[in-house]
Amino acid sequence: DAGITQSPRHKVTETGTPVTLRCHQTENHRYMYWYRQDPGHGLRLIHYSYGVKDTDKGEVSDGYSVSRSKTEDFLLTLESATSSQTSVYFCAISKGTSGSNEQFFGPGTRLTVL
Amino acid sequence: GNSVTQMEGPVTLSEEAFLTINCTYTATGYPSLFWYVQYPGEGLQLLLKATKADDKGSNKGFEATYRKETTSFHLEKGSVQVSDSAVYFCALSDRSNTNAGKSTFGDGTTLTVKP
């Protein structure tokens, strides 16, 4: 267990509203990731971070932004939510040691955009 | 680029049946390979891993062998239980220093085991 929590766990919002999801880790690992999981698409990487204030885009970054002002927190923001962003969002960390790079996942946030 | 292709589901088996979920990959470097499992309502958790050719990862009766010559990492279990019902993901991670620990995931295979 890498001590990863996500908040909120469930959220219902309306189209056009901003939404921020939070990922918190307790072990100060360098690498953090945001994924979305949709039926038929597996896991798709939205954004990732390789350190404080160091972030980069994943394969499905349009409509999303991220921030990492502290090692332990990685925020995902939907600037203006759309129905296509209804999904389950997972945060993950990698311990970043040389070797295998396995990832550890949070419990997920189920977001519904009406 | 990197990619992972895994057997499409859903897969339905009777308890104590033999399980195989196929996974093949394409990678530009020499990746580490993983199987993750996701139980309903939860995040993914690492099931097993292998970091070099011919390594066998194993955990909870599941096994997978890193086959570089066939670029495969098939998941097997000799006797499945109802509690093994879950979604299984094959994944790889390129260990280059520029990769930032990123992984590429397959689309997942849903396994249902009936009593």
Side-chain angles (χ1 to χ4, degrees):
Chain A
D1 184 359
I4 305 167
T5 57
Q6 293 184 230
S7 58
R9 294 292 315 277
H10 301 271
K11 186 169 183 67
V12 179
T13 191
E14 294 191 351
T15 297
T17 60
V19 176
T20 295
L21 308 183
R22 179 180 183 240
C23 177
H24 179 79
Q25 58 151 327
T26 60
E27 298 185 358
N28 292 324
H29 295 298
R30 180 180 177 189
Y31 301 112
M32 299 184 76
Y33 315 87
W34 276 109
Y35 295 91
R36 60 178 290 174
Q37 183 178 28
D38 304 288
H41 291 280
L43 281 176
R44 292 183 289 176
L45 182 65
I46 305 171
H47 282 278
Y48 64 99
S49 171
Y50 46 96
V52 173
K53 298 193 191 308
D54 291 325
T55 65
D56 207 347
K57 296 178 180 180
E59 60 181 299
V60 290
S61 59
D62 287 350
Y64 302 94
S65 62
V66 290
S67 65
R68 193 167 179 201
S69 58
K70 298 185 290 185
T71 300
E72 59 265 37
D73 288 327
F74 191 31
L75 304 181
L76 176 71
T77 297
L78 290 66
E79 302 289 349
S80 177
T82 68
S83 58
S84 65
Q85 293 176 312
T86 293
S87 186
V88 180
Y89 291 85
F90 288 100
C91 173
I93 66 100
S94 173
K95 297 187 176 181
T97 55
S98 61
S100 57
N101 285 339
E102 61 259 45
Q103 296 193 359
F104 298 85
F105 287 80
T109 294
R110 183 173 295 276
L111 176 67
T112 302
V113 183
L114 301 176
Chain B
N2 298 333
S3 67
V4 174
T5 303
Q6 63 180 100
M7 188 168 106
E8 286 190 26
V11 174
T12 302
L13 296 174
S14 297
E15 208 164 23
E16 300 184 4
F18 184 85
L19 169 70
T20 300
I21 301 178
N22 290 337
C23 172
T24 58
Y25 67 90
T26 302
T28 53
Y30 189 176
S32 296
L33 302 175
F34 311 93
W35 278 100
Y36 290 86
V37 60
Q38 183 181 31
Y39 298 104
E42 299 182 9
L44 281 69
Q45 54 186 275
L46 181 69
L47 179 60
L48 53 84
K49 67 180 182 183
T51 59
K52 62 182 187 295
D54 300 324
D55 264 3
K56 178 185 283 188
S58 62
N59 186 25
K60 300 181 182 179
F62 292 89
E63 295 182 338
T65 301
Y66 191 143
R67 300 287 188 201
K68 194 165 186 280
E69 65 276 13
T70 55
T71 61
S72 65
F73 193 54
H74 304 322
L75 182 68
E76 296 182 338
K77 187 175 185 183
S79 177
V80 294
Q81 305 300 313
V82 172
S83 57
D84 294 327
S85 298
V87 183
Y88 293 81
F89 292 89
C90 186
L92 67 83
S93 181
D94 179 347
R95 289 173 285 177
S96 67
N97 291 335
T98 58
N99 186 47
K102 290 182 292 181
S103 287
T104 301
F105 290 84
D107 287 343
T109 301
T110 300
L111 170 67
T112 301
V113 180
K114 295 188 180 299

